[in-house]
Amino acid sequence: MKPRIQFIKGIDEEIVPNIRLTRSRDGSTGTATFFFKNPNILDKTTAKEGEITGMYLIDNEGIIETQDINARFINGKPKAIESIYIMKSSEAWSRFMRFMERYGQINGLVFTKAS
């Protein structure tokens, strides 16, 4: 199964996000902030498919989900989506990183560690 991101179940998001990761010093918690510029989910033709109910990261291991989603507006029109996924354990961090490795390989994402 190809890893994918959805905001409405059954509709894959085609825009590859910019993702920022932070992790606690002891590695027990972390945060992933996704930024989608002009995502297809905000397109008028996609809007009729249903409401955004969360962000779903889907791969062969299952689904990781968050409901922490915010739209960014410019001149009254939605232009971007920011979503935050909080990992509350080292197991959740590991699971997320496995998803990101698969998703990144398919979409050409590269992990750059902060110095």
Side-chain angles (χ1 to χ4, degrees):
M1 170 188 289
K2 176 181 134 183
R4 58 196 186 275
I5 298 175
Q6 298 179 348
F7 291 103
I8 298 173
K9 290 184 178 179
I11 300 174
D12 294 347
E13 178 54 58
E14 297 168 12
I15 298 299
V16 178
N18 182 8
I19 305 163
R20 282 190 334 259
L21 292 173
T22 58
R23 192 171 187 187
S24 64
R25 291 192 189 274
D26 66 1
S28 62
T29 62
T31 302
T33 304
F34 291 75
F35 186 78
F36 297 83
K37 188 175 181 181
N38 295 314
N40 63 289
I41 198 66
L42 296 178
D43 189 298
K44 290 179 184 176
T45 59
T46 310
K48 65 183 176 191
E49 299 295 328
E51 291 184 23
I52 295 174
T53 55
M55 182 179 71
Y56 306 95
L57 312 177
I58 304 166
D59 65 6
N60 59 348
E61 288 187 56
I63 300 173
I64 300 169
E65 68 180 272
T66 181
Q67 276 73 47
D68 191 346
I69 299 169
N70 295 297
R72 303 288 174 154
F73 292 82
I74 297 175
N75 295 327
K77 295 181 182 178
K79 293 292 181 185
I81 290 181
E82 183 178 80
S83 182
I84 299 172
Y85 173 64
I86 298 173
M87 295 153 274
K88 297 180 181 178
S89 68
S90 57
E91 292 80 18
W93 175 271
S94 295
R95 168 67 178 100
F96 175 78
M97 292 305 288
R98 289 192 305 274
F99 170 84
M100 286 309 304
E101 186 174 314
R102 294 178 192 116
Y103 184 80
Q105 285 175 348
I106 289 176
N107 293 290
L109 291 176
V110 177
F111 179 69
T112 305
K113 194 170 187 171
S115 49

